[in-house]
């Protein structure tokens, strides 16, 4: 059997392949047309967003040509809709934008328009639209109230030295949770099981200049954990207390506030 010649596919060629997929061409026919195995086609489809982003940023293009915009009215209406959606903090993906562009063309009775992957990459490049990582919940915060609170905080903060300003933070520690990535031999099937919900709460506190740090406070579910058997808990490098859900409750927090400065922490 003749050895198949390996050919590197550039971004533009991958966009053409995605365009054929968008037109509903059978995958077998696409693979034959471009001389690629089905596995390569599957990888290209899987990496659609990365390919479109690479094309929009100009990555992989040896040359660039200036082209006039054929459907300028569609661009204008689509960008107005895009700006409105993002102002409302609504996430948008490539396929969603393509679907909207096709709807706009249909409403304008433009029959020869089809929003392909290539068209999407070009409008992204023209309008400097790129893929962004969604993080946080910014819209859940009242920015004006937050700024007013900060202003009041700084006013009060000026009265105290850094050594007298403390910050406490809590975090959940899932000590029995397996990692969500693994190494394995090629061809191995990787399946995940039920993820452990066993956790403790870890509380840390120190002052602004770092001169005073409290012992970590660990909150578990059991009042007398088996692993503490025959151990003097007062000798632990941390403070331990318990709660039925391993949370901080009002009573324990009140005790922490009252006695923490002397590190005489008796919650057990």
């Amino acid at each position: 059997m003749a050895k198949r010649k390996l050919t590197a596919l550039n971004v533009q060629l991958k966009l053409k392949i995605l365009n054929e997929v968008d037109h509903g061409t059978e995958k077998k026919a696409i693979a034959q047309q471009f001389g690629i195995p089905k596995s390569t086609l599957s990888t290209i489809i899987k990496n659609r967003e990365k390919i479109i982003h690479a094309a929009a940023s100009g990555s992989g293009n040896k040359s660039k040509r200036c082209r006039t915009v054929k459907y300028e009215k569609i661009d204008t209406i689509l960008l107005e809709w895009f700006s409105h959606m993002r102002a409302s903090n609504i996430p948008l993906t490539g396929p969603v934008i393509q679907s909207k562009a096709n709807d706009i063309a249909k409403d304008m009775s433009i029959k020869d328009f089809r929003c392909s992957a290539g068209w999407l990459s070009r409008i992204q490049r023209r309008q400097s639209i790129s893929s962004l990582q969604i993080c946080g919940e910014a819209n859940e915060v009242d920015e004006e109230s937050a700024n007013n609170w900060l202003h009041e905080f700084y006013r009060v903060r000026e009265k105290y030295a850094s050594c007298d300003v403390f910050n406490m933070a809590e975090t959940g520690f899932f000590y029995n949770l397996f990692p969500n990535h693994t190494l394995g031999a090629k061809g191995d099937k990787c399946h995940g099981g039920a993820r452990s919900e066993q956790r403790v709460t870890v509380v840390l506190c120190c002052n602004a200049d770092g001169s005073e740090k409290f012992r970590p406070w660990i909150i578990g579910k059991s009042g007398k954990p088996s692993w503490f058997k025959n151990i003097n808990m007062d000798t632990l490098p941390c403070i331990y207390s318990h709660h039925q859900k391993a949370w901080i409750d009002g009573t324990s927090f009140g005790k922490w506030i009252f006695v923490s400065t002397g590190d005489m922490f008796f919650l057990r």
Side-chain angles (χ1 to χ4, degrees), residues 27-119:
K27 294 181 180 179
K28 182 178 180 181
I30 296 175
Q32 292 177 347
Q33 178 184 346
F34 291 91
I36 58 175
K38 291 183 180 179
S39 59
T40 300
L41 176 59
S42 298
T43 301
I44 292 173
I45 295 173
K46 180 180 178 181
N47 295 328
R48 168 187 288 269
E49 292 291 334
K50 292 182 179 179
I51 294 170
I52 293 175
H53 177 65
S57 62
S59 175
N61 297 332
K62 293 183 178 180
S63 62
K64 297 181 180 179
R65 292 179 292 172
C66 295
R67 299 181 180 180
T68 58
V69 179
K70 184 177 180 180
Y71 302 103
E72 186 173 355
K73 290 184 178 180
I74 295 178
D75 277 28
T76 301
I77 297 175
L78 181 65
L79 287 173
E80 289 179 358
W81 169 82
F82 178 86
S83 299
H84 176 71
M85 291 293 102
R86 290 307 302 135
S88 301
N89 203 39
I90 298 176
L92 298 173
T93 62
V96 171
I97 295 175
Q98 287 177 277
S99 177
K100 182 61 179 180
N102 287 326
D103 289 342
I104 293 172
K106 183 178 180 180
D107 293 339
M108 297 177 66
S109 300
I110 300 176
K111 298 181 179 180
D112 60 340
F113 174 82
R114 191 174 186 87
C115 185
S116 64
W119 185 92

Side-chain angles (χ1 to χ4, degrees), residues 223-240:
K224 295 181 179 180
S226 58
W227 52 82
F228 285 155
K229 186 178 180 180
N230 300 323
I231 293 179
N232 182 357
M233 297 181 67
D234 292 331
T235 64
L236 294 174
C238 64
I239 305 300
Y240 180 83

Side-chain angles (χ1 to χ4, degrees), residues 26 56 60 96 99 121 140 166 195 199 243 255 258:
E26 292 185 0
V96 171
S99 177
S121 72
E140 297 296 324
F166 288 79
R195 297 175 69 81
R199 66 187 289 276
H243 181 272
K255 291 180 180 179
F258 184 73

Side-chain angles (χ1 to χ4, degrees), residues 17-253:
I17 294 172
L18 290 174
N19 193 26
E20 290 296 326
V21 174
D22 293 340
H23 278 87
T25 307
E26 292 185 0
K27 294 181 180 179
K28 182 178 180 181
I30 296 175
Q32 292 177 347
Q33 178 184 346
F34 291 91
I36 58 175
K38 291 183 180 179
S39 59
T40 300
L41 176 59
S42 298
T43 301
I44 292 173
I45 295 173
K46 180 180 178 181
N47 295 328
R48 168 187 288 269
E49 292 291 334
K50 292 182 179 179
I51 294 170
I52 293 175
H53 177 65
S57 62
S59 175
N61 297 332
K62 293 183 178 180
S63 62
K64 297 181 180 179
R65 292 179 292 172
C66 295
R67 299 181 180 180
T68 58
V69 179
K70 184 177 180 180
Y71 302 103
E72 186 173 355
K73 290 184 178 180
I74 295 178
D75 277 28
T76 301
I77 297 175
L78 181 65
L79 287 173
E80 289 179 358
W81 169 82
F82 178 86
S83 299
H84 176 71
M85 291 293 102
R86 290 307 302 135
S88 301
N89 203 39
I90 298 176
L92 298 173
T93 62
V96 171
I97 295 175
Q98 287 177 277
S99 177
K100 182 61 179 180
N102 287 326
D103 289 342
I104 293 172
K106 183 178 180 180
D107 293 339
M108 297 177 66
S109 300
I110 300 176
K111 298 181 179 180
D112 60 340
F113 174 82
R114 191 174 186 87
C115 185
S116 64
W119 185 92
L120 178 61
S121 72
R122 288 191 293 274
I123 191 173
Q124 283 185 273
R125 185 165 58 249
R126 289 196 300 271
Q127 304 299 332
S128 300
I129 298 173
S130 59
S131 179
L132 302 174
Q133 177 69 41
I134 298 174
C135 60
E137 299 178 357
N139 277 12
E140 297 296 324
V141 178
D142 185 338
E143 187 173 350
E144 182 178 356
S145 297
N147 288 334
N148 291 337
W149 184 90
L150 282 175
H151 179 75
E152 179 64 17
F153 169 78
Y154 289 132
R155 186 186 67 81
V156 175
R157 167 70 176 81
E158 292 176 352
K159 301 177 182 178
Y160 298 90
S162 294
C163 62
D164 294 326
V165 178
F166 288 79
N167 182 62
M168 187 196 79
E170 62 174 304
T171 182
F173 175 51
F174 293 81
Y175 57 89
N176 243 2
L177 191 64
F178 284 127
N180 55 10
H181 290 79
T182 184
L183 297 177
K186 186 177 181 180
D188 282 353
K189 292 183 179 180
C190 184
H191 299 288
R195 297 175 69 81
S196 173
E197 295 296 327
Q198 290 181 293
R199 66 187 289 276
V200 295
T201 294
V202 180
V203 182
L204 304 172
C205 180
C206 72
N207 60 355
D209 65 2
S211 60
E212 190 171 355
K213 302 176 183 178
F214 296 121
R215 282 193 292 166
W217 175 17
I218 310 298
I219 307 170
K221 293 184 178 181
S222 175
K224 295 181 179 180
S226 58
W227 52 82
F228 285 155
K229 186 178 180 180
N230 300 323
I231 293 179
N232 182 357
M233 297 181 67
D234 292 331
T235 64
L236 294 174
C238 64
I239 305 300
Y240 180 83
S241 68
H242 69 281
H243 181 272
Q244 60 179 351
K245 293 186 178 180
W247 291 347
I248 298 177
D249 60 14
T251 301
S252 60
F253 182 73

